């Protein structure tokens, strides 16, 4: 009888150990990696350690489940999106596209210029417009969208409000010296100007050192950036118009590699020039 009890306890302890081990391995696989290197010098995102961990997790999972493989997780598809939202619902993809198309009239297209010098203004964004004061809380309040463009021909921010019910532009506003956040296309154009300029030699050298390849296109970088405004005495004269002009400070990152410090460089997208800030 004593031997039977010992064998039973041994099985319970062994089973608990296997389940705990399986749980520990699964946690190691599903937690996000760190931004840098691990204790063995392996950078986060390398596939070999994760594959080994996944194999161990699968084996432990099978053992814990009595030899049956654990079914993989299933990601449910997002629910179908309607063409039109209601009330203060976020704009649907269809509404975003329709609003921009309505806002870009033939006259605006013919008279304006984008960041790369092509005809037509630079699209910046489409947002759900705020209701009028007497419309707040009304379930039948009109849905409107504010569509913003930047005209590089004369450095003008253009905002056109579109009534999504009638399909008409109900208001147009223009402003100078207003610099909203940069679009992806503007950051890519700024990077292209920097790569082509002599002041971009440091960025290209860093890329060559990190990858062994030449940097020739913005597509080789992950780009973040911020609008730069001139401050008295803080920049060379060539950047004095930043704020009236659309100017950018880039924070480039080598894909699957380190960030590159380019904070001292400013790209004037309006004048298509690159300058280094005075230290």
């Amino acid at each position: 009888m004593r031997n039977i009890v010992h064998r039973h306890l041994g099985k319970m302890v062994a089973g608990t150990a296997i389940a705990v081990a399986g749980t520990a391995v699964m946690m190691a696989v599903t937690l996000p990696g760190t931004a840098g290197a691990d204790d063995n010098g392996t950078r986060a995102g390398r596939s070999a350690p994760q594959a080994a961990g996944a194999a161990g997790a699968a084996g432990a999972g099978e053992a814990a489940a009595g030899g049956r493989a654990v079914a993989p997780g299933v990601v449910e598809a997002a629910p179908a999106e309607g063409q039109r939202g209601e009330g203060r619902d976020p704009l649907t993809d269809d509404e975003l596209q329709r609003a921009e198309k309505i806002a870009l009239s033939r006259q605006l297209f013919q008279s304006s210029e984008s960041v790369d010098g092509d005809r037509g203004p630079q699209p910046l964004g489409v947002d759900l417009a705020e209701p009028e004061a007497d419309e707040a809380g009304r379930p039948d309040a009109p849905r409107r969208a504010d569509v913003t463009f930047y005209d590089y021909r004369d450095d003008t921010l253009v905002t056109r409000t579109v009534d999504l019910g009638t399909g008409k532009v109900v208001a147009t506003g223009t402003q100078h010296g207003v610099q909203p956040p940069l679009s992806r296309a503007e950051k890519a154009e700024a990077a292209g100007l920097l790569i082509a300029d002599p002041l971009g030699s440091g960025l290209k050298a860093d890329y060559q050192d990190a990858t062994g390849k030449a940097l020739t296109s913005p597509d080789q970088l992950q780009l973040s950036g911020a609008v730069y405004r001139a401050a008295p005495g803080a920049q060379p004269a060539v950047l004095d118009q930043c704020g009236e002009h659309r100017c950018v400070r880039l924070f480039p990152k080598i894909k699957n590699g380190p960030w590159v410090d380019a904070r001292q460089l400013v790209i004037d997208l309006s004048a298509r020039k690159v300058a280094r800030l005075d230290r």
Side-chain angles (χ1 to χ4, degrees):
M1 180 66 181
R2 185 176 183 178
N3 290 336
I4 292 173
V5 171
H6 282 179
R7 286 198 300 271
H8 180 65
L9 288 173
K11 289 180 180 178
M12 290 177 63
V13 171
T16 302
I18 289 172
V20 171
T23 302
V25 175
M26 287 298 289
M27 287 176 67
V29 171
T30 54
L31 287 174
T34 59
D38 61 19
D39 293 339
N40 298 321
T42 304
R43 293 194 64 80
R46 288 282 294 272
S47 59
Q50 188 170 357
E62 289 182 8
R68 292 176 297 172
V70 178
V74 177
V75 178
E76 294 185 2
E81 183 182 65
Q83 289 187 334
R84 298 185 180 185
E86 297 180 0
R88 301 301 296 165
D89 288 347
L91 294 170
T92 66
D93 289 344
D94 181 75
E95 287 176 321
L96 291 170
Q97 296 172 7
R98 194 157 55 90
E100 186 171 322
K101 184 177 181 180
I102 294 169
L104 186 57
S105 64
R106 182 185 296 273
Q107 180 182 1
L108 178 60
F109 179 81
Q110 294 288 350
S111 64
S112 57
E113 186 176 302
S114 65
V115 65
D116 56 4
D118 286 345
R119 182 174 294 180
Q122 183 62 45
L124 295 185
V126 183
D127 299 292
L128 185 66
E130 292 295 328
E132 301 292 339
D134 60 347
E135 297 172 347
R138 280 175 42 192
D140 61 342
R143 275 173 68 82
R144 305 184 187 92
D146 288 331
V147 186
T148 53
F149 304 96
Y150 196 85
D151 183 0
Y152 277 88
R153 181 183 57 84
D154 57 1
D155 286 295
T156 303
L157 179 68
V158 180
T159 303
R160 310 199 84 185
T161 302
V162 174
D163 187 317
L164 294 168
T166 63
K168 296 180 179 179
V169 175
V170 295
T172 299
T174 59
Q175 296 170 286
H176 292 274
V178 177
Q179 299 295 341
L182 299 155
S183 67
R184 182 179 300 179
E186 289 174 307
K187 286 180 280 191
E189 186 68 17
L193 291 172
L194 179 57
I195 291 170
D197 193 272
L199 288 175
S201 59
L203 171 62
K204 290 188 285 188
D206 287 343
Y207 188 91
Q208 180 79 38
D209 289 343
T211 67
K213 300 177 181 178
L215 176 61
T216 58
S217 168
D219 294 337
Q220 296 168 263
L221 300 168
Q222 293 178 1
L223 297 170
S224 298
V227 170
Y228 174 80
R229 289 180 173 275
Q235 68 280 316
V238 70
L239 297 177
D240 281 346
Q241 288 185 282
C242 288
E244 290 296 326
H245 284 187
R246 196 143 168 85
C247 299
V248 185
R249 294 178 78 177
L250 283 178
F251 311 107
K253 183 181 183 298
I254 297 171
K255 289 185 176 180
N256 301 315
W259 294 89
V260 179
D261 188 359
R263 290 173 296 175
Q264 292 301 114
L265 301 175
V266 175
I267 302 97
D268 184 334
L269 288 172
S270 301
R272 303 187 68 80
K273 294 180 180 178
V274 181
R276 185 184 299 277
L277 293 174
D278 295 335
R279 292 184 181 275

